[in-house]
């Protein structure tokens, strides 16, 4: 499904600011895998996502998605099959365009051919948008002609999630997508995530700094430190694991204690 | 004689229709893409010159002249966009560069067929224009309004097409590019491509406007486009004030049409009040400056009022106590 083979990325090589953000990292995800990722600050989690999404090309190594080598594919071409959410809820939507227009753009980019410039959404598709919005249970289905800039952060993030998944992506990358939301809204977006990912059997990577989330969501947990994956837990080994177990295993794998100022040990 | 005659209104609306095409172009580049296309003046003149030459020469079907002007306007937009997206020239600077280059090109186009090779004007008295063609068909029905009818078809047609276009995948992508570039980069649209497409479209409209202008007045000169960008910007802002900032695409485009016509009417009235025609550009510049500054000034005034009210309330309390 996703096969990352020995990728490395160094920022500002050869300068005093040199930073080996990802070092010789390999990872294979099976179809339908939902892996959570935790790690210290600056471990390279976001950098890994950027490499998968194509924001830059890794210095070495290769990335294969569903049998296709995408190592050198430009970002805008990859994103047709990669859904990506960031921590900042403002990043994923266009504020001056209406909810309906945002959905139309997301839908058309994923469902039509790269060169189908003049395709439009039909009335039937608009009805489908409305139904899907209703599933978010935020009352957005009645505000479809309002600009997205009027929505709250949580509503925007939920909308972004819908946009990223309404045509099922090959892989969904969630980079602390609930971290900027208040606890109640975060829980809601998280529940939506769980529901949507399960319904469409989406292969998914999710960075979180909440250790409970890391264990309770998905079927696999990865821990990163200093540009490497130091721990990869799945199956029986992962079942029944507590947060303390996890931190201990991290310390063993990384050779040091987890250090992340945003790690949440309790809910 | 009445102060403002029907025929003055007619002329203002005719010019408003032509202007609305340039304003529509700025709606795409300035409002939607967030770019300032300073090559607008040069492209307008280019459209004029190409249309004049095409209508005059043996190739000269006046409709063909319009198409040629659009194509060449599109090309000018393409060069402008390439400077910005591929060579990373600042948007404003790219426009200035293209505009400067176009000055020579426009002189050259107008000079085609003359002995000197360059010319600063073209006389189109011998040319057949689309208005001449329309006259035979429409004048019996519409009398002197036939010109306005032709121009309204172009203005309304272009407005409708742009409205429809903005709902397509490419149109939505262009709008998103100016709204949230981050999102576009991450969403299977190449922002360089959307900027290019948007500028090509905008400049095709500007070229068309220039082409209509030259056929309308049956002449073309090198200064015909000077200040066009300011005038169109003024119309855009007047329209925005009329329909509101928050409206959808349909409303905004209606604002473009209204703003352009209203601008021409305002100017016609000003001329009627014996304003010297040489003052026109200064007046447009002042309109644009006021219009752009007005939200800031308004909120500053509101703040002062609020402060004054708060002070008064406090005083009232004190005297009460
Ligand atoms: N564009 C860049 N230029 C230079 N250095 C960078 C750049 N992006 C990331 N880095 C560095 O690479 C390292 C890994 O950063 P990354 O953002 O991937 O960490 P992270 O695991 O997402 O951390 P966090 O939990 O804080 O989000 C950090 O030391 C960071 O400073
Ligand atoms: Mg990060």
């Amino acid at each position: 499904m996703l096969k990352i083979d020995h990728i490395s990325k160094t920022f500002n090589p050869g300068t005093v600011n040199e930073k080996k953000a990802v070092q010789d990292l390999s990872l294979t995800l099976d179809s339908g895998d939902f892996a959570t990722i935790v790690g210290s600050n600056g471990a390279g989690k976001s950098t890994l996502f950027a490499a998968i999404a194509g924001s830059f090309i890794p210095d070495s190594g290769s990335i294969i998605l569903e049998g296709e080598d995408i190592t050198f594919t430009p970002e805008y071409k990859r994103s047709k099959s990669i859904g990506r959410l960031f921590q900042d809820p403002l990043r994923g939507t266009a504020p001056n365009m209406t909810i309906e227009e945002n959905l139309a753009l997301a839908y058309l980019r994923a469902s039509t051919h790269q060169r189908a410039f003049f395709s439009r959404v039909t009335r039937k598709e608009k009805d489908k948008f409305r139904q899907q919005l209703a599933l978010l249970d935020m009352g957005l289905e009645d505000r479809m002609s309002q600009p997205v800039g009027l929505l709250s952060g949580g509503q925007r993030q939920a909308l972004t999630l819908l946009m990223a998944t309404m045509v099922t992506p090959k892989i969904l990358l969630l980079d602390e997508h609930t971290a900027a939301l208040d606890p109640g809204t975060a829980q809601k977006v998280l529940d939506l995530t769980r529901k949507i990912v399960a319904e469409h059997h989406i292969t998914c990577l999710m960075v979180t700094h909440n250790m409970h989330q890391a264990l309770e969501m998905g079927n696999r947990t990865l821990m990163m430190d200093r540009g490497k994956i130091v721990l990869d837990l799945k199956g029986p080994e992962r079942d029944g694991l507590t947060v303390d177990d996890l931190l201990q295993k991290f310390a063993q794998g990384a050779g040091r204690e987890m250090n992340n100022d945003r790690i949440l040990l309790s809910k | 004689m009445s102060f403002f005659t029907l025929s003055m209104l007619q002329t203002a609306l005719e010019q408003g229709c032509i202007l609305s095409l340039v304003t529509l172009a700025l709606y795409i580049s300035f409002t939607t893409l967030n770019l300032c296309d300073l090559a607008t003046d040069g492209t307008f003149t280019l459209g004029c010159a190409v249309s004049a030459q095409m209508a005059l020469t043996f190739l000269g079907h006046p409709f063909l002249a319009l198409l040629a002007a659009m194509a060449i306007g599109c090309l000018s937009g393409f060069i402008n966009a390439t400077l910005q997206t591929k060579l990373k020239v600042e948007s404003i600077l790219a426009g200035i560069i293209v505009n400067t280059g176009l000055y020579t090109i426009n002189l050259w186009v107008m000079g085609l067929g003359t002995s000197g090779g360059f010319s600063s004007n073209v006389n189109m008295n011998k040319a057949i224009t689309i208005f001449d063609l329309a006259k035979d068909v429409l004048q019996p029905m519409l009398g002197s309004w036939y010109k306005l009818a032709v121009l309204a078809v172009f203005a309304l047609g272009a407005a409708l097409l742009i409205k429809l276009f903005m709902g397509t995948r490419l149109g939505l992508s262009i709008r998103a590019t100016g709204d949230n570039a981050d999102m576009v980069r991450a969403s299977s649209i190449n922002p360089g491509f959307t900027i290019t497409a948007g500028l090509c479209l905008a400049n095709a409209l500007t070229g068309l406007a220039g082409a209509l202008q030259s056929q309308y007045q049956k002449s073309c000169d090198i200064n015909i486009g000077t200040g066009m960008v300011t005038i169109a910007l003024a119309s855009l802002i007047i329209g925005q004030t009329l329909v509101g900032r928050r409206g959808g695409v349909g409303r905004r485009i209606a604002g473009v049409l209204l703003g352009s016509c209203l601008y021409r009417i305002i100017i016609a009235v000003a001329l009627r009040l014996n304003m010297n025609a040489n003052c026109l550009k200064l007046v447009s510049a002042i309109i644009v400056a006021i219009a752009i500054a007005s939200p800031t000034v308004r909120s500053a005034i509101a703040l002062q009022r609020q402060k004054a009210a708060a002070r008064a309330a406090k005083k009232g309390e004190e005297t009460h106590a």
Side-chain angles (χ1 to χ4, degrees), chain A residues 93-161:
Chain A
T93 45
N96 289 313
M97 292 166 68
T98 64
I99 295 180
E100 184 179 303
E101 286 164 345
N102 271 279
L103 287 168
L105 182 59
Y107 179 77
L108 290 171
R109 82 170 159 92
S111 66
T112 59
H113 189 265
Q114 192 81 35
R115 303 210 169 273
F117 298 130
F118 300 111
S119 53
R120 305 168 59 86
V121 290
T122 60
R123 183 133 293 284
K124 220 169 117 197
E125 284 162 341
K126 281 182 192 167
D127 287 341
K128 206 168 85 185
F129 295 169
R130 184 181 297 276
Q131 286 164 13
Q132 286 181 312
L133 279 171
L135 295 180
L136 300 183
D137 198 21
M138 290 177 161
L140 297 184
E141 64 277 14
D142 301 321
R143 302 173 63 183
M144 282 177 70
S145 52
Q146 285 185 15
V148 168
L150 299 180
L151 304 186
S152 72
Q155 289 170 331
R156 277 182 84 160
Q157 201 66 316
L159 182 64
T160 313
L161 183 64

Side-chain angles (χ1 to χ4, degrees), chain B residues 7-59:
Chain B
S7 88
M8 285 167 69
L9 178 67
Q10 186 186 335
T11 312
L13 289 179
E14 286 166 2
Q15 290 173 339
C17 283
I18 298 179
L19 175 59
S20 74
L21 293 170
V22 188
T23 312
L24 208 50
L26 282 200
Y27 168 72
I28 296 171
S29 58
F30 185 73
T31 310
T32 307
L33 277 174
N34 239 336
L35 298 173
C36 203
D37 183 359
L38 289 184
T40 302
D41 294 6
T43 308
F44 186 85
T45 311
L46 181 66
C48 277
V50 168
S51 156
Q53 289 293 8
M54 287 282 290
L56 278 170
T57 58
F58 66 97
L59 270 174

Side-chain angles (χ1 to χ4, degrees), chain A residues 42 44-47 87 175-176 207 262:
Chain A
K45 304 177 295 286
S46 300
T47 309
Q87 182 174 340
D175 194 349
E176 303 197 38
V207 173
R262 283 177 297 151

Side-chain angles (χ1 to χ4, degrees), chain B residues 110-127:
Chain B
M110 286 192 270
L112 285 175
T114 63
S115 52
F118 290 92
S119 165
S120 62
N121 56 58
V122 182
N123 186 319
M124 295 171 68
N125 279 337
K126 286 198 213 93

Side-chain angles (χ1 to χ4, degrees), chain B residues 221-284:
Chain B
D221 72 275
I222 190 70
N223 290 322
I224 197 166
T226 309
M228 211 60 209
V229 70
T230 318
I231 293 172
L233 211 50
S235 310
L236 191 64
I237 292 164
I238 292 172
Q240 204 172 69
T241 317
L242 289 177
V243 300
R245 265 166 202 279
R246 275 258 172 238
V249 179
R251 268 181 84 106
R252 299 297 291 267
I253 290 182
V256 164
L257 292 172
L258 288 175
S260 304
C261 289
L262 192 59
Y263 174 85
R264 286 302 191 196
I265 292 173
I266 292 171
I267 295 298
V269 170
L271 289 173
R272 184 74 190 137
L273 293 170
N274 288 331
M275 184 183 79
N276 189 322
N278 289 320
C279 301
L280 271 185
K281 301 251 149 93
L282 180 61
V283 171
S284 341

